[in-house]
Amino acid sequence: MNEYSCFDMIGPVMVGPSSSHTAGAVRLGRFARAIAQELPQKVEFLLHGSFGETYKGHGTDLALLGGLLGMDTDDVRIRNSDQLAEESGLQYEFIATDLGEGYHANTARFVMTLADGSVKTVTGCSIGGGKVLITELDGFPVEIEGIYPTIVDTHLDQPGVIHKITGVLVNYQVNIAAMKVFRQERNSVAYMIIETDQDVPKQALLEIAAMEPVLEVKFVKPF
């Protein structure tokens, strides 16, 4: 039988009004910021379904901005996150759109332009009670809940890569809670999502990043 905490029923500590449209939106923004590893120069928020229909009335716009600025769900500054974003120099636009069938009604896609001109995209949905699910990174389908410390690794799909990466974690006594690998086609680029039971030492991440098949490594703390 599944176990539930009181927070599954009443939601997280948050700035309201809605755990789905505000608290979940903040967490999506926090993850997008972790992937960008900086405050973007520009971001387009593509809002699908209910997010696109009610984002102003439910404060979803302020929540997404607040999360991108690094705020947590209970940060009262969320109410003024639009002003704070403008003061930081962030250019942003909210666009109600239809991403198509198969996307949750509370879905947001962040299209972020970074300081070096590169573009990162993060797509995720708020599934209720403040919980979220990241479903795409740069167009790749993934599944990230943000409950555990998470390594997001991009590598070339070659034999032995997974063994090498997990071997580094073994050497640093990092226990793997869950691991998933996603690829669009054989011998191309792949994403590996590794959830761990503890923070991963910086040196371990540097060793993984230095491997020849590895293209990029990011570490995301629970968000």
Side-chain angles (χ1 to χ4, degrees):
M1 184 174 64
N2 293 332
E3 295 182 359
Y4 298 93
S5 73
C6 63
F7 293 105
D8 292 313
M9 294 178 280
I10 64 175
V13 178
M14 65 178 188
V15 173
S18 166
S19 59
S20 294
H21 286 73
T22 47
V26 170
R27 295 189 67 219
L28 291 174
R30 286 175 60 85
F31 180 82
R33 173 64 179 266
I35 290 297
Q37 296 188 320
E38 63 184 58
L39 183 64
Q41 298 289 303
K42 177 182 177 182
V43 59
E44 291 182 346
F45 299 92
L46 305 184
L47 306 180
H48 171 80
S50 179
F51 266 12
E53 295 169 359
T54 65
Y55 69 92
K56 290 184 178 180
H58 284 172
T60 305
D61 50 349
L62 299 177
L64 291 169
L65 281 171
L68 199 62
L69 291 169
M71 300 177 195
D72 210 340
T73 56
D74 59 350
D75 195 323
V76 295
R77 294 178 300 162
I78 291 171
R79 298 164 182 162
N80 301 312
S81 59
D82 52 349
Q83 177 182 341
L84 295 173
E86 291 173 6
E87 291 174 358
S88 72
L90 175 64
Q91 301 176 50
Y92 63 89
E93 182 179 7
F94 293 95
I95 303 171
T97 189
D98 183 355
L99 295 175
E101 295 183 4
Y103 286 92
H104 190 282
N106 298 332
T107 293
R109 176 172 292 162
F110 301 75
V111 183
M112 302 176 289
T113 302
L114 307 186
D116 63 1
S118 63
V119 177
K120 294 284 185 183
T121 65
V122 173
T123 303
C125 56
S126 177
I127 58 178
K131 294 182 178 180
V132 300
L133 180 66
I134 305 302
T135 58
E136 293 178 12
L137 294 177
D138 292 330
F140 275 80
V142 297
E143 294 177 10
I144 305 173
E145 298 181 66
I147 298 173
Y148 296 97
T150 302
I151 298 172
V152 180
D153 154 74
T154 312
H155 64 267
L156 298 177
D157 182 30
Q158 297 178 2
V161 179
I162 295 174
H163 175 74
K164 291 179 181 178
I165 293 174
T166 55
V168 171
L169 298 179
V170 170
N171 291 338
Y172 283 87
Q173 298 185 326
V174 175
N175 193 53
I176 296 174
M179 182 174 68
K180 298 174 183 176
V181 180
F182 305 86
R183 67 180 187 183
Q184 291 184 331
E185 59 184 46
R186 188 176 181 180
N187 298 324
S188 185
V189 176
Y191 269 100
M192 181 159 63
I193 311 300
I194 304 175
E195 297 174 326
T196 65
D197 286 332
Q198 65 263 73
D199 281 354
V200 180
K202 183 176 180 180
Q203 187 59 37
L205 296 171
L206 291 174
E207 288 185 23
I208 294 172
M211 295 178 181
E212 186 173 346
V214 174
L215 302 175
E216 190 175 43
V217 174
K218 295 180 180 178
F219 180 68
V220 182
K221 293 187 177 183
F223 55 90

